[in-house]
Amino acid sequence: MCEERRGVLEAIASEIARCTRCPLHASRTRTVPGEGNPCARVMFVGEAPGFNEDLQGRPFVGAAGNLLNEMLKLAGLSREEVFITNVVKCRPPNNRDPAEEEVEACKPYLFRQLEAVGPEIVVCLGRHSARVFFESSGLKFESIMKVRGEPRRLVVAGRELLCLPTLHPAAALYNPRLRSLLEADFRLLARLLSRGQGLDRWFL
Amino acid sequence: MPLKFEFPDARDWRYLIESLQTVIEEANFIADAEGLRLRALDPSRIAMVDLYMPREVFELYEIDEERVRIGVNFDDLNKILKRAKAKDKILFQVEGGRLRVTLAGKAERTFSLPLIDVVGEELPLPKVTFDVTAKMVSDTLRDALKDAEMISDTARFVGEEKELKIVAKSDKGELEARFSLESGSLLEYEVKQPSTSSYSLEYLEDIVSKAYRISDLVTLEFSTNKPLSLTFDIAGGGVLRYFLAPRME
């Protein structure tokens, strides 16, 4: 089953590599479709590739990626067992926020990745990612600080999942207060995963 | 008297209580104008039972209060129910902190038990959508689970387009039980998307080996890595439903 899913993810990545749906294709070095375990229990969704990601074609490989790796360890996870991607698969120039049309153009790829991996938990890293998941589920999104650390069951693109919104690691890089919030959310993720043997997670 | 209800066959109640005992030793029945309900989680929070018996399933159902809680120890209640003879009717009466159970056959015998204070949280049902739904004869499922239990302590449920499989594997060997509409082993089958999920056979076999006496038919519902639902319909409109958490592979 995982090999089948890997095949689907590779096909999506090939489509992304050829994508010209929004203006970002003109300025990208490489597309960054995402990577990881095709049968992951947890999927991490960030905002958009940055400078290093654009060069390497891999998500979260810069300083924010190092912090994400540390957080994964805190939750008892490794990069190999999770799937990591972004809402937008090409780098916005000068790391600006992705524009609405760019998010809309890229969203179908994200939802197809979601369908292929079928994770139990999606961790939204930052406000852009959380907004996409909340609004796609028919919920109003106000700010990441209001919703972070509170897992909720959403139905996104017809798929039921547990969404854990948290901060983008880049936001916590140089801010100890935000870093401690990020750590708390990853500790919560560890608890959600370890409760996988019981029914509790399905009551949320 | 706050609550009184009568059921035509005392032995059905014995089977029902034994089915509840597979998940929990003591719990509260909640009676209101609509009927009788019980929802409880086992101590490890892996299995949940949800019972609903509408007032129509009873020969007599009288309630003087809005809501009556009946906290019972199932082992104590079952000792009484085991004394029931074939065709005995059963009457339950709640009054003064006691549960009176009358078995009415050739003779009428009334037992009285103190109600117990069971601390329980108000539980919601698990929020799950199911991709595979299969209806089958409950004895057929029971046989397959017994077969699987000889091999492993986990059963993998595989819902394919045309076929439901129950698979068990270990160093002892391998079992694959296959069910389909075509072979007649499934009465209804719907697959929204192919799904696979594993569940503890210890719980499953225990639940089905008791609950199959409640209903000839069982409806199974599951999705990949999500809880399994087993629904046994009780004659007259009642429902005995179980949820079982998946085992992550």
Side-chain angles (χ1 to χ4, degrees):
Chain A
M1 190 160 69
C2 293
E3 276 318 300
E4 244 174 69
R5 293 183 188 188
R6 191 184 304 281
V8 175
L9 290 167
E10 282 170 2
I12 298 169
S14 305
E15 273 185 57
I16 294 171
R18 297 189 302 272
C19 182
T20 55
R21 285 185 196 173
C22 81
L24 292 182
H25 78 273
S27 57
R28 73 189 175 209
T29 310
R30 297 179 69 170
T31 54
V32 185
E35 64 183 25
N37 183 347
C39 285
R41 286 179 69 192
V42 193
M43 187 185 231
F44 291 84
V45 182
E47 174 186 325
F51 176 78
N52 290 298
E53 289 79 10
D54 178 62
L55 286 181
Q56 296 185 38
R58 297 181 57 212
F60 286 92
V61 287
N66 289 337
L67 181 55
L68 177 63
N69 293 347
E70 270 185 56
M71 293 299 119
L72 287 173
K73 221 179 268 177
L74 189 69
L77 293 165
S78 66
R79 272 184 88 111
E80 291 69 38
E81 61 188 305
V82 302
F83 192 87
I84 304 173
T85 188
N86 286 300
V87 171
V88 171
K89 317 296 188 193
C90 299
R91 183 192 178 204
N94 304 317
N95 293 349
R96 65 160 167 77
D97 285 350
E100 193 55 39
E101 66 185 271
E102 294 156 2
V103 170
E104 284 305 313
C106 233
K107 223 159 60 176
Y109 295 125
L110 174 65
F111 289 167
R112 282 168 60 200
Q113 289 175 318
L114 192 65
E115 192 185 346
V117 177
E120 294 162 49
I121 302 176
V122 170
V123 180
C124 291
L125 299 166
R127 65 191 161 100
H128 292 284
S129 167
R131 186 174 65 81
V132 165
F133 277 80
F134 273 56
E135 290 180 355
S136 299
S137 188
L139 295 177
K140 198 175 161 208
F141 178 79
E142 288 181 36
S143 83
I144 190 68
M145 291 309 282
K146 273 196 176 163
V147 297
R148 59 142 286 276
E150 284 182 21
R152 60 191 76 202
R153 198 154 283 284
L154 302 181
V155 178
V156 178
R159 172 163 287 281
E160 191 183 298
L161 50 90
L162 191 65
C163 174
L164 176 63
T166 186
L167 306 171
H168 194 285
L173 268 177
Y174 307 108
N175 184 327
R177 190 181 72 85
L178 295 184
R179 185 182 166 121
S180 70
L181 294 179
L182 190 66
E183 286 174 358
D185 293 348
F186 273 74
R187 274 194 287 269
L188 173 63
L189 174 64
R191 285 204 301 280
L192 291 172
L193 285 166
S194 68
R195 287 200 326 207
Q197 294 297 316
L199 284 167
D200 286 277
R201 64 171 47 221
W202 311 100
F203 296 141
L204 291 167
Chain B
M1 181 166 306
L3 178 69
K4 191 167 143 174
F5 53 93
E6 189 175 69
F7 201 76
D9 190 340
R11 281 184 313 174
D12 284 348
W13 265 85
R14 179 179 146 199
Y15 299 149
L16 186 62
I17 296 300
E18 285 178 355
S19 301
L20 298 176
Q21 266 184 297
T22 60
V23 169
I24 193 97
E25 269 306 310
E26 52 186 38
N28 293 311
F29 284 99
I30 305 292
D32 60 20
E34 290 179 356
L36 202 62
R37 296 166 203 276
L38 182 145
R39 188 175 290 173
L41 262 179
D42 88 301
S44 64
R45 303 176 80 83
I46 287 174
M48 175 187 240
V49 63
D50 184 45
L51 170 73
Y52 174 53
M53 296 183 78
R55 62 185 306 152
E56 291 76 24
V57 306
F58 299 99
E59 285 194 341
L60 170 106
Y61 189 90
E62 291 175 6
I63 184 163
D64 291 344
E65 293 173 11
E66 199 178 314
R67 202 166 182 257
V68 177
R69 184 191 290 254
I70 315 161
V72 284
N73 178 291
F74 294 139
D75 198 35
D76 293 343
L77 181 56
N78 215 24
K79 279 180 189 151
I80 295 171
L81 298 175
K82 278 183 180 165
R83 301 296 305 150
K85 305 262 189 300
K87 294 184 183 164
D88 274 3
K89 283 189 180 186
I90 188 162
L91 173 71
F92 292 92
Q93 296 172 91
V94 174
E95 195 176 32
R98 296 190 78 82
L99 174 67
R100 289 204 295 159
V101 183
T102 302
L103 300 173
K106 282 181 186 161
E108 194 173 283
R109 295 159 289 155
T110 298
F111 301 83
S112 174
L113 286 172
L115 291 178
I116 59 170
D117 197 13
V118 182
V119 181
E121 55 191 312
E122 292 272 334
L123 293 163
L125 286 179
K127 295 181 186 117
V128 198
T129 50
F130 298 107
D131 291 328
V132 179
T133 304
K135 192 169 197 170
M136 66 200 298
V137 173
S138 42
D139 203 24
T140 308
L141 176 62
R142 176 175 164 246
D143 276 342
L145 296 175
K146 276 185 179 295
D147 291 344
E149 207 181 25
M150 293 194 315
I151 305 287
S152 173
D153 59 1
T154 302
R156 188 154 54 90
F157 283 59
V158 183
E160 294 173 349
E161 197 187 340
K162 300 266 179 202
E163 201 172 56
L164 170 73
K165 287 194 236 171
I166 296 179
V167 181
K169 277 185 194 173
S170 73
D171 356 341
K172 287 184 205 161
E174 195 171 328
L175 163 92
E176 186 177 276
R178 298 159 66 176
F179 311 91
S180 66
L181 289 171
E182 202 182 357
S183 68
S185 49
L186 294 181
L187 306 170
E188 290 170 23
Y189 191 51
E190 193 194 336
V191 177
K192 289 182 196 153
Q193 67 173 341
S195 304
T196 302
S197 202
S198 296
Y199 305 97
S200 155
L201 269 168
E202 193 187 336
Y203 280 88
L204 264 176
E205 210 275 320
D206 206 16
I207 289 168
V208 177
S209 70
K210 300 293 182 195
Y212 87 100
R213 292 179 302 185
I214 299 291
S215 172
D216 292 339
L217 303 178
V218 57
T219 303
L220 286 94
E221 294 167 285
F222 66 97
S223 299
T224 298
N225 292 335
K226 288 186 182 172
L228 171 74
S229 158
L230 294 169
T231 305
F232 298 87
D233 292 324
I234 300 170
V239 178
L240 175 65
R241 190 175 187 191
Y242 294 89
F243 291 91
L244 189 60
R247 274 200 170 170
M248 299 303 179
E249 289 171 295

PDB file of all heavy atoms in Angstrom, chain B residues 21-32:
ATOM      1  N   GLN B  21     -20.721  -6.564  29.707  1.00  0.00           N
ATOM      2  CA  GLN B  21     -19.596  -6.930  30.580  1.00  0.00           C
ATOM      3  C   GLN B  21     -18.283  -7.112  29.825  1.00  0.00           C
ATOM      4  O   GLN B  21     -17.226  -7.099  30.432  1.00  0.00           O
ATOM      5  CB  GLN B  21     -19.926  -8.253  31.293  1.00  0.00           C
ATOM      6  CG  GLN B  21     -20.553  -8.058  32.651  1.00  0.00           C
ATOM      7  CD  GLN B  21     -20.751  -9.400  33.336  1.00  0.00           C
ATOM      8  OE1 GLN B  21     -21.508 -10.216  32.834  1.00  0.00           O
ATOM      9  NE2 GLN B  21     -20.069  -9.615  34.443  1.00  0.00           N
ATOM     10  N   THR B  22     -18.359  -7.309  28.519  1.00  0.00           N
ATOM     11  CA  THR B  22     -17.119  -7.468  27.751  1.00  0.00           C
ATOM     12  C   THR B  22     -16.332  -6.157  27.739  1.00  0.00           C
ATOM     13  O   THR B  22     -15.143  -6.137  27.449  1.00  0.00           O
ATOM     14  CB  THR B  22     -17.410  -7.892  26.288  1.00  0.00           C
ATOM     15  OG1 THR B  22     -18.207  -6.888  25.661  1.00  0.00           O
ATOM     16  CG2 THR B  22     -18.116  -9.219  26.222  1.00  0.00           C
ATOM     17  N   VAL B  23     -17.007  -5.063  28.026  1.00  0.00           N
ATOM     18  CA  VAL B  23     -16.351  -3.759  28.010  1.00  0.00           C
ATOM     19  C   VAL B  23     -16.194  -3.180  29.406  1.00  0.00           C
ATOM     20  O   VAL B  23     -15.186  -2.574  29.739  1.00  0.00           O
ATOM     21  CB  VAL B  23     -17.147  -2.774  27.092  1.00  0.00           C
ATOM     22  CG1 VAL B  23     -16.671  -1.354  27.250  1.00  0.00           C
ATOM     23  CG2 VAL B  23     -17.024  -3.212  25.634  1.00  0.00           C
ATOM     24  N   ILE B  24     -17.204  -3.371  30.239  1.00  0.00           N
ATOM     25  CA  ILE B  24     -17.200  -2.670  31.537  1.00  0.00           C
ATOM     26  C   ILE B  24     -17.867  -3.532  32.602  1.00  0.00           C
ATOM     27  O   ILE B  24     -18.766  -4.314  32.308  1.00  0.00           O
ATOM     28  CB  ILE B  24     -17.928  -1.302  31.354  1.00  0.00           C
ATOM     29  CG1 ILE B  24     -17.709  -0.370  32.517  1.00  0.00           C
ATOM     30  CG2 ILE B  24     -19.404  -1.445  31.055  1.00  0.00           C
ATOM     31  CD1 ILE B  24     -16.611   0.612  32.271  1.00  0.00           C
ATOM     32  N   GLU B  25     -17.407  -3.399  33.837  1.00  0.00           N
ATOM     33  CA  GLU B  25     -17.953  -4.201  34.932  1.00  0.00           C
ATOM     34  C   GLU B  25     -19.138  -3.532  35.615  1.00  0.00           C
ATOM     35  O   GLU B  25     -20.012  -4.193  36.146  1.00  0.00           O
ATOM     36  CB  GLU B  25     -16.862  -4.486  35.971  1.00  0.00           C
ATOM     37  CG  GLU B  25     -16.099  -5.761  35.721  1.00  0.00           C
ATOM     38  CD  GLU B  25     -17.028  -6.979  35.579  1.00  0.00           C
ATOM     39  OE1 GLU B  25     -17.904  -7.185  36.423  1.00  0.00           O
ATOM     40  OE2 GLU B  25     -16.868  -7.711  34.567  1.00  0.00           O
ATOM     41  N   GLU B  26     -19.106  -2.204  35.634  1.00  0.00           N
ATOM     42  CA  GLU B  26     -20.234  -1.489  36.235  1.00  0.00           C
ATOM     43  C   GLU B  26     -20.456  -0.189  35.489  1.00  0.00           C
ATOM     44  O   GLU B  26     -19.509   0.409  34.957  1.00  0.00           O
ATOM     45  CB  GLU B  26     -20.010  -1.238  37.738  1.00  0.00           C
ATOM     46  CG  GLU B  26     -18.698  -0.588  38.068  1.00  0.00           C
ATOM     47  CD  GLU B  26     -18.442  -0.488  39.563  1.00  0.00           C
ATOM     48  OE1 GLU B  26     -18.795  -1.436  40.285  1.00  0.00           O
ATOM     49  OE2 GLU B  26     -17.913   0.547  39.986  1.00  0.00           O
ATOM     50  N   ALA B  27     -21.706   0.221  35.390  1.00  0.00           N
ATOM     51  CA  ALA B  27     -22.015   1.444  34.644  1.00  0.00           C
ATOM     52  C   ALA B  27     -23.413   1.912  34.999  1.00  0.00           C
ATOM     53  O   ALA B  27     -24.156   1.224  35.719  1.00  0.00           O
ATOM     54  CB  ALA B  27     -21.920   1.189  33.139  1.00  0.00           C
ATOM     55  N   ASN B  28     -23.745   3.095  34.518  1.00  0.00           N
ATOM     56  CA  ASN B  28     -25.081   3.648  34.744  1.00  0.00           C
ATOM     57  C   ASN B  28     -25.961   3.447  33.527  1.00  0.00           C
ATOM     58  O   ASN B  28     -25.566   3.830  32.420  1.00  0.00           O
ATOM     59  CB  ASN B  28     -24.993   5.161  34.986  1.00  0.00           C
ATOM     60  CG  ASN B  28     -24.287   5.498  36.276  1.00  0.00           C
ATOM     61  OD1 ASN B  28     -24.601   4.932  37.315  1.00  0.00           O
ATOM     62  ND2 ASN B  28     -23.329   6.406  36.207  1.00  0.00           N
ATOM     63  N   PHE B  29     -27.132   2.853  33.719  1.00  0.00           N
ATOM     64  CA  PHE B  29     -28.169   2.963  32.697  1.00  0.00           C
ATOM     65  C   PHE B  29     -28.836   4.316  32.943  1.00  0.00           C
ATOM     66  O   PHE B  29     -29.026   4.710  34.096  1.00  0.00           O
ATOM     67  CB  PHE B  29     -29.242   1.879  32.886  1.00  0.00           C
ATOM     68  CG  PHE B  29     -28.816   0.518  32.430  1.00  0.00           C
ATOM     69  CD1 PHE B  29     -28.349  -0.427  33.346  1.00  0.00           C
ATOM     70  CD2 PHE B  29     -28.909   0.155  31.096  1.00  0.00           C
ATOM     71  CE1 PHE B  29     -27.969  -1.686  32.932  1.00  0.00           C
ATOM     72  CE2 PHE B  29     -28.540  -1.120  30.679  1.00  0.00           C
ATOM     73  CZ  PHE B  29     -28.061  -2.033  31.599  1.00  0.00           C
ATOM     74  N   ILE B  30     -29.169   5.006  31.881  1.00  0.00           N
ATOM     75  CA  ILE B  30     -29.906   6.259  32.026  1.00  0.00           C
ATOM     76  C   ILE B  30     -31.283   6.053  31.390  1.00  0.00           C
ATOM     77  O   ILE B  30     -31.384   5.718  30.206  1.00  0.00           O
ATOM     78  CB  ILE B  30     -29.196   7.437  31.322  1.00  0.00           C
ATOM     79  CG1 ILE B  30     -27.743   7.584  31.813  1.00  0.00           C
ATOM     80  CG2 ILE B  30     -29.986   8.736  31.494  1.00  0.00           C
ATOM     81  CD1 ILE B  30     -27.594   8.037  33.247  1.00  0.00           C
ATOM     82  N   ALA B  31     -32.319   6.224  32.198  1.00  0.00           N
ATOM     83  CA  ALA B  31     -33.675   6.075  31.672  1.00  0.00           C
ATOM     84  C   ALA B  31     -34.322   7.454  31.566  1.00  0.00           C
ATOM     85  O   ALA B  31     -34.158   8.296  32.454  1.00  0.00           O
ATOM     86  CB  ALA B  31     -34.493   5.196  32.612  1.00  0.00           C
ATOM     87  N   ASP B  32     -35.000   7.694  30.459  1.00  0.00           N
ATOM     88  CA  ASP B  32     -35.812   8.906  30.327  1.00  0.00           C
ATOM     89  C   ASP B  32     -37.086   8.533  29.562  1.00  0.00           C
ATOM     90  O   ASP B  32     -37.343   7.331  29.340  1.00  0.00           O
ATOM     91  CB  ASP B  32     -35.025  10.050  29.657  1.00  0.00           C
ATOM     92  CG  ASP B  32     -34.542   9.704  28.261  1.00  0.00           C
ATOM     93  OD1 ASP B  32     -35.107   8.777  27.648  1.00  0.00           O
ATOM     94  OD2 ASP B  32     -33.609  10.358  27.775  1.00  0.00           O
TER      95      ASP B  32
END
